[in-house]
Amino acid sequence: MENQESLFDIDENLDNAQTEEETSLQENMSFPDMMSDMMPNMMMDMGDGTNNDQNTIIIWSDFIAANGPITSDSIIHVSQGTTLVFDSLHSNSPIAIEGLLIEGRVEFEDGANVNYSLSSDWILAVSGGEFNIGSEDTPFVGKATISLTADDGQRFRLPTNDIISVGTDLNPMMVGMLENMIGNDNNNFIMAMGDGSKIDIHGDDASKTSWTKLTASLQGGQGANTITVEDAAGWEVGDVIAISSSFYDRGDNGFESEAEQFTITSINGNMITLDGDIQHDHIGVTQTYTN
């Protein structure tokens, strides 16, 4: 994967959800506390996080040939026990959808010449679902661009008429549950939610660290514009980095992310100076939640 920007992620090691990706948004303290109490019961009849024991592989090119073109208002649902593989045959054809709901697995066929472009308002892995581009052992060598396209204030929605299932149909109980849980103004995200769910992206660029961890927690609103990370190898002045959200601000319109984006102005080892002050708190240590 070509790294246009250096991005890093803060790993909170939550018991029930861990997201690793270039612009990762992780759950806040109030959101996970609520989720940890609610998720086991609500997901009990909808998935146990072991959806890959019996696996059916469906290739995107074959799916398109059988079902016709996918429109931009479509929500693609990948069911438990199903792996959807975006293949090289369509790697140079942009994919534009409204949402990607994953209870099974999504993978991208790799290759030096592949160039994927996936645009979606949101990407959500639940019930043990997985979104994978490369792996730690086999980093992705091609190029993949993931664009989140929801407008500000656009409500998260799962209209059943727009849902196209790859595999078995979506459990109707999941629709209302997710719409009510995620909220009115949490519509532009890539997130893993529930036991076993994950977002896993690994790019093959040995010269530049694509994500790393903070060495300490950050306190926002104090005028600080420097951070220290575990590994800033290959980072350069002018690179753009993102600090993922450790919390969400719950307002009148739902949960609002506290992710922040900065441009690097100077580097001293693993100490990074940013082009603006840090506005929000970010966790840089392991936090453990019950349930």
Side-chain angles (χ1 to χ4, degrees):
M1 183 185 298
E2 294 183 0
N3 284 314
Q4 299 288 328
E5 303 173 342
S6 294
L7 303 178
F8 69 91
D9 184 33
I10 303 165
D11 183 357
E12 300 179 51
N13 290 325
L14 299 177
D15 283 349
N16 290 337
Q18 181 173 346
T19 302
E20 295 179 358
E21 35 81 25
E22 288 184 326
T23 55
S24 169
L25 303 182
Q26 295 193 357
E27 293 85 346
N28 63 14
M29 296 192 72
S30 59
F31 200 32
D33 286 346
M34 175 183 71
M35 296 294 294
S36 62
D37 291 335
M38 297 172 66
M39 284 295 292
N41 292 331
M42 287 189 293
M43 292 298 185
M44 181 171 56
D45 296 327
M46 303 177 198
D48 58 5
T50 58
N51 61 73
N52 295 316
D53 291 343
Q54 296 180 346
N55 189 42
T56 300
I57 298 176
I58 296 180
I59 306 300
W60 179 250
S61 293
D62 296 339
F63 185 78
I64 293 297
N67 295 276
I70 302 300
T71 60
S72 60
D73 59 356
S74 298
I75 296 173
I76 303 299
H77 161 243
V78 183
S79 67
Q80 293 189 349
T82 301
T83 295
L84 175 62
V85 179
F86 290 105
D87 59 304
S88 59
L89 183 62
H90 275 74
S91 67
N92 292 304
S93 300
I95 302 167
I97 55 178
E98 181 173 336
L100 179 58
L101 178 61
I102 309 164
E103 295 184 281
R105 293 170 61 93
V106 169
E107 298 178 352
F108 290 73
E109 183 182 2
D110 201 359
N113 297 318
V114 300
N115 185 4
Y116 297 97
S117 175
L118 173 62
S119 299
S120 181
D121 288 355
W122 50 268
I123 298 173
L124 176 61
V126 297
S127 305
E130 300 180 14
F131 180 86
N132 301 300
I133 303 179
S135 67
E136 186 172 1
D137 293 333
T138 311
F140 193 77
V141 300
K143 181 177 181 180
T145 302
I146 310 298
S147 302
L148 302 177
T149 54
D151 296 327
D152 290 340
Q154 180 178 320
R155 178 181 173 81
F156 174 82
R157 52 192 288 274
L158 282 172
T160 54
N161 290 338
D162 293 336
I163 297 174
I164 301 174
S165 288
V166 182
T168 58
D169 291 340
L170 177 66
N171 188 325
M173 292 179 61
M174 182 75 81
V175 174
M177 182 198 73
L178 289 175
E179 287 183 336
N180 291 328
M181 184 183 299
I182 291 176
N184 293 340
D185 196 32
N186 194 5
N187 55 351
N188 200 337
F189 60 83
I190 177 168
M191 180 168 63
M193 185 170 68
D195 189 27
S197 304
K198 67 178 183 178
I199 307 293
D200 204 14
I201 299 177
H202 296 267
D204 184 24
D205 188 347
S207 66
K208 189 183 292 287
T209 297
S210 59
W211 70 273
T212 187
K213 300 177 184 178
L214 290 171
T215 59
S217 297
L218 303 176
Q219 185 174 3
Q222 305 299 309
N225 68 339
T226 61
I227 59 174
T228 302
V229 298
E230 291 185 357
D231 183 8
W235 291 12
E236 302 173 300
V237 171
D239 283 346
V240 177
I241 63 173
I243 309 177
S244 67
S245 183
S246 294
F247 306 91
Y248 282 79
D249 180 15
R250 186 170 187 176
D252 295 336
N253 296 319
F255 294 97
E256 297 179 359
S257 168
E258 294 184 351
E260 302 186 67
Q261 179 174 298
F262 299 98
T263 299
I264 297 175
T265 59
S266 69
I267 301 175
N268 182 10
N270 289 328
M271 181 178 292
I272 310 300
T273 302
L274 310 172
D275 66 337
D277 295 341
I278 298 164
Q279 300 299 316
H280 302 292
D281 294 350
H282 298 276
I283 296 175
V285 296
T286 299
Q287 300 241 338
T288 303
Y289 300 90
T290 59
N291 299 321

